[in-house]
Amino acid sequence: FVKVNILVIILLVKENINMGKSNQSSVTEFVLLGLSGYPELEAIYFVLVLYMYLVILLGNGVIIIVSIYDSHLHTPMYFFLSNLSFLDICYTSSSIPLFLSSFLTSKKTISFSGCGVQMFFSFGMGATECVLLSMMAFDRYVAICNPLRYPIIMSKASYVPMVSGSWIAGGVNSVLQTSLAMRLPFCGDNVINHFTCEILAVLKLACADVSINVLSMVVANMIFLVVPVLFIVVSYVFILFTILRIPSAEGRRKAFSTCSAHLTVVVIFYGTILFMYAKPKAKDSSGVDKVQVTDKIISLFYGVVTPMLNPLIYSLRNKDVKAAVKNILCRKCSSEGR
């Protein structure tokens, strides 16, 4: 069901991008500036980003595989986690390969359609992760505050629609934002001072009024950032009160350990977004925003480091995942021995 919806959404995006092409006059591709002005940093970041991308593919891939093949992990929490891992792979794969290839060639351009597709995945995966993290917070709330009713409340008939709804909501928002951006005319500068087709950097190049785009982004931020954050905060307030009422210190420690990984991911994810977009921008004498190298590094952290940390945070001290990996490897070794 989710795969069908994703395919439909991608087809809609392609249609909107093609319609947007007819509205733009002269720009057929964009130049991604990246770290072009700092050649001494390019080699270092190529190695770092390549290493982190391989860790993302390996770590998240392992979580998806063990969640599918180990029956002990067929639970709501690991269903949410496997979707989060798949989301992180999709998000990074939409931009990191192009980012790495730009270090190996002098060509640092991306086509108009390619920029739209990249923007679609950026919006879609980001919005979906916001909703998905709030659904995971609800899962932890039920597990700690209503443990006896957990199998009933978090049944397969409940958590599968929750995840499907997260993907659909993120996809719908992405189609809207991408189509609005790609319909704008770009008739002048085509240099994007960023690693990827980041929406704010692209809007600066449009030679038309972008007030509708800004308004739609504000509404989307309220829906996909503010509302999930409030939901997560309320959930953890109830979780905290429940944990504090547990009489034994060992019981409190075990209860907190069940949600510590999710809470860590939430802090890193939303903390990076807040720091990246809420901090004031430095301006030069002409009043134009300066995109500092530090801003780009923060964006890189959000786009690469966070997806890399997610599987490590969830599996580093997780006995279930370690046991599942061990069982799969043992089964493989025994089958090869035969």
Side-chain angles (χ1 to χ4, degrees):
F1 176 73
V2 176
K3 290 181 179 179
V4 172
N5 280 283
I6 291 175
L7 289 174
V8 171
I9 289 171
I10 290 176
L11 289 174
L12 288 173
V13 170
K14 288 183 177 179
E15 180 181 350
N16 279 307
I17 289 173
N18 290 332
M19 292 179 65
K21 272 188 170 182
S22 62
N23 291 337
Q24 55 94 22
S25 53
S26 60
V27 174
T28 58
E29 64 181 13
F30 294 102
V31 178
L32 299 175
L33 199 58
L35 291 172
S36 298
Y38 304 89
E40 68 279 1
L41 297 177
E42 289 192 346
I44 298 174
Y45 278 98
F46 174 81
V47 175
L48 287 176
V49 173
L50 177 60
Y51 171 77
M52 290 187 288
Y53 182 57
L54 294 176
V55 173
I56 289 170
L57 295 179
L58 177 62
N60 288 288
V62 167
I63 288 182
I64 293 173
I65 291 171
V66 298
S67 297
I68 293 174
Y69 287 100
D70 194 295
S71 59
H72 296 94
L73 301 184
H74 291 174
T75 62
M77 183 180 72
Y78 287 102
F79 185 72
F80 286 126
L81 184 56
S82 61
N83 274 269
L84 183 64
S85 295
F86 178 69
L87 184 151
D88 286 336
I89 290 176
C90 292
Y91 177 77
T92 53
S93 297
S94 68
S95 59
I96 296 304
L98 179 64
F99 173 75
L100 292 173
S101 66
S102 67
F103 289 127
L104 303 177
T105 177
S106 58
K107 184 181 180 181
K108 301 180 184 297
T109 60
I110 183 172
S111 67
F112 189 88
S113 298
C115 185
V117 171
Q118 194 177 89
M119 197 181 301
F120 165 77
F121 277 102
S122 177
F123 266 114
M125 300 303 105
T128 301
E129 184 161 358
C130 290
V131 180
L132 195 59
L133 288 175
S134 67
M135 296 297 100
M136 295 173 75
F138 177 74
D139 173 74
R140 293 299 84 204
Y141 161 77
V142 177
I144 294 176
C145 300
N146 296 282
L148 298 179
R149 299 187 61 197
Y150 182 81
I152 300 174
I153 298 175
M154 295 304 297
S155 64
K156 190 173 183 179
S158 299
Y159 67 77
V160 171
M162 289 167 67
V163 171
S164 301
S166 300
W167 283 98
I168 293 172
V172 170
N173 174 65
S174 185
V175 168
L176 175 63
Q177 302 298 336
T178 305
S179 60
L180 287 175
M182 292 294 99
R183 288 171 183 267
L184 291 170
F186 298 91
C187 49
D189 189 12
N190 68 334
V191 178
I192 299 176
N193 197 358
H194 212 276
F195 293 118
T196 62
C197 286
E198 200 265 342
I199 181 64
L200 296 179
V202 172
L203 291 181
K204 290 179 181 179
L205 305 180
C207 50
D209 182 28
V210 296
S211 57
I212 298 298
N213 302 75
V214 173
L215 179 61
S216 66
M217 287 178 62
V218 170
V219 174
N221 287 339
M222 292 295 296
I223 296 173
F224 291 99
L225 284 177
V226 178
V227 173
V229 166
L230 291 176
F231 189 86
I232 291 171
V233 169
V234 172
S235 298
Y236 273 101
V237 168
F238 284 105
I239 289 173
L240 180 61
F241 283 136
T242 302
I243 291 177
L244 292 177
R245 288 201 298 265
I246 298 176
S248 66
E250 181 66 17
R252 290 194 295 270
R253 187 190 66 79
K254 287 183 178 180
F256 182 75
S257 65
T258 61
C259 58
S260 59
H262 174 259
L263 187 58
T264 303
V265 170
V266 167
V267 171
I268 294 175
F269 179 76
Y270 284 105
T272 308
I273 292 177
L274 181 65
F275 187 77
M276 186 166 54
Y277 289 107
K279 75 186 189 68
K281 301 289 184 180
K283 293 187 176 182
D284 59 17
S285 57
S286 60
V288 180
D289 289 346
K290 291 181 178 179
V291 182
Q292 304 291 343
V293 179
T294 53
D295 295 330
K296 296 181 181 181
I297 301 306
I298 294 170
S299 175
L300 183 65
F301 179 86
Y302 170 73
V304 181
V305 179
T306 302
M308 182 189 70
L309 291 178
N310 285 350
L312 298 178
I313 293 171
Y314 275 105
S315 62
L316 193 60
R317 298 178 62 184
N318 192 313
K319 295 180 180 179
D320 294 334
V321 174
K322 291 180 179 179
V325 173
K326 185 177 180 180
N327 289 336
I328 292 175
L329 292 176
C330 289
R331 284 201 296 258
K332 184 177 180 181
C333 291
S334 60
S335 62
E336 289 179 353
R338 294 174 189 172

